[in-house]
Amino acid sequence: MKSSVYECSIVHLPKIHNEAGNLTALDNQVNIPFDVKRVYYLYDVPGGAERGGHGHKNLQQFIMALSGSFDVLIDDGINKKVVHLDRPYIGLHVVAGIWRELINFSSGAICLVLASEKYTEEDYLRDFEAFKIFKH
Ligand code: TYD
């Protein structure tokens, strides 16, 4: 699969602001570049813990820091990028075929993940060497 980290994009979401606070809405194919089939979130991540450490064959993700902050390392087997997420109105679209690691979680961070597919272990590439073979 030829996907590259340069196809992964940072998306600034609309913020509806009034004196009572902010609201951000997420719509399939409008600001989320796929149809969401699953939502999950990471929380109570211990200091120093690393999440991710895998790639996906078909699944795309939209990753947001709803609270706190963390870094997302993305790697297509050739190029790498690090994206710091720390705002609930900014998301990272990770296309299929990208290795990702989530690190440097702040205390109390909540990572929201929107996924383009239902959960199946078959879609995971959990070994980096197998991931690189998949990419070629
Ligand atoms: P994993 O995707 O490896 O988490 P992370 O990338 O955040 O480190 O999933 C951790 C565990 O949770 C693994 O045993 C699979 C399971 N899991 C589900 O059962 N359903 C899901 O939707 C997800 C994302 C994971």
Side-chain angles (χ1 to χ4, degrees):
M1 174 179 271
K2 295 285 175 225
S3 60
S4 103
V5 293
Y6 299 108
E7 294 168 59
C8 298
S9 53
I10 293 169
V11 179
H12 288 246
L13 299 158
K15 190 199 290 183
I16 301 168
H17 169 77
N18 67 29
E19 61 282 359
N22 296 321
L23 183 155
T24 292
L26 307 173
D27 282 286
N28 288 335
Q29 307 290 353
V30 178
N31 36 43
I32 305 302
F34 50 80
D35 285 334
V36 176
K37 295 226 180 71
R38 180 164 47 105
V39 176
Y40 65 92
Y41 43 98
L42 308 174
Y43 54 98
D44 292 346
V45 178
E50 300 185 0
R51 307 284 318 205
H54 57 75
H56 284 284
K57 296 174 190 166
N58 295 308
L59 177 143
Q60 303 176 57
Q61 289 181 332
F62 192 88
I63 303 175
M64 304 173 64
L66 283 196
S67 186
S69 65
F70 51 85
D71 294 327
V72 188
L73 281 70
I74 50 176
D75 185 339
D76 57 24
I78 298 171
N79 293 298
K80 298 176 198 213
K81 278 174 80 171
V82 179
V83 177
H84 182 68
L85 292 176
D86 62 356
R87 295 284 184 272
Y89 53 84
I90 293 181
L92 172 66
H93 176 215
V94 181
V95 298
I98 301 290
W99 187 267
R100 90 289 317 280
E101 292 170 16
L102 282 72
I103 61 170
N104 297 332
F105 282 84
S106 70
S107 171
I110 299 176
C111 168
L112 178 72
V113 182
L114 311 181
S116 68
E117 308 298 331
K118 294 195 169 163
Y119 171 73
T120 168
E121 193 58 36
E122 310 291 291
D123 191 67
Y124 280 76
L125 295 155
R126 292 197 181 272
D127 174 73
F128 192 66
E129 293 309 311
F131 169 76
K132 286 201 285 190
I133 291 165
F134 175 80
K135 295 297 285 181
H136 283 92

